[in-house]
Amino acid sequence: MSIQHHSVEVNGLRLHVAEQGEGPLVLLLHGFPESWYSWRHQFAALADAGYRVVAPDQRGYARSDRAPSSEEYTLPHLVGDVTALIGALGAEEAVVVGHDWGAVVAWTTALLRPDLVRAVAGLSVPPLPPAGLPSVESSRRAYGEGYYQAYFQEPGRADAEMSADPASTLRRILVGASGASPPRPWVAPEGVRLIDTLPEPEELPAWLTAEDIEVFAGDYAAPDAFTGPLDWYRNIDRNQDLMAAFRGLRVEVPALYAVGDRDMVSVLRGVPELRAALTMIAPKLHADLTLPGCGHWTQQERPHEVNRALLDFLATL
């Protein structure tokens, strides 16, 4: 069976989902600036192994609806979408796998709803419960005003810069944060546009084709297509307040973590300490994997290794 596409009504929003296979539900949650298509290499491998694989375009992304307000992209909203999606798909539980921002949502869903999440896997971003990411002010202190999470806070600025040429934006980000480039925090010097700190690549790496860029660029063709995804970042500080009641909780379901050794996330302040504490945060950790030569786009750059790790993990459940 090929990948099927349809829409699901979730919390008043229509989410586009891609689906393949039958069996226990595995939800795949993409990151920024991506879509369901970032999981293109995982569908067949998991479906052929007997799983029902579903990858939504998350709230505000690609073919899914945008929320009416920029304040409706908090972690409670995003976790609420995942929990509602599980029910809307007719399932009682799911394994939730996430990459980048999708990993934040996956870890948080497992933290808050272990009754619905059989197991969780995070790619690139480790668990930092309960708010998922450090406050914007702490990031500013560490990296300056030009750090991408701080840069994204101004409404409209990054939106316009990225949407001016979506294909160029996506080439720059996907190649610039890949294993082809040295890992470093994404920071713009004063007076320089953030997107201009990543050069237009002369050629694409082997894992990324011109056709892939065309698909992603199509998902961001609308003039405001980057605004919903950027609004996730504009709720980082709001998440600190909303998630305060859950401080001290651990991820109590079976867990897997994988990251490339050339992923920019791996060199951010505090991440090595987080990895050292993984078994305290997720006591049922199955494995903590490092993928040599892999950058930020874990499942796209290393599909075979990621698929093997996921299937090994799923087989233990």
Side-chain angles (χ1 to χ4, degrees), residues 4-8 14-19 52 54 89:
Q4 305 296 310
H5 296 266
H6 59 99
S7 296
V8 178
R14 181 190 54 82
L15 298 188
H16 162 258
V17 302
E19 178 172 352
R52 181 187 182 191
V54 174
L89 293 170

Side-chain angles (χ1 to χ4, degrees), residues 172-179 181 198 262-264 295-297 301:
R172 291 170 184 241
I173 293 175
L174 290 170
V175 177
S178 74
S181 305
L198 299 175
R262 293 179 69 81
D263 189 332
M264 61 169 281
H296 182 61
W297 316 105
E301 294 185 57

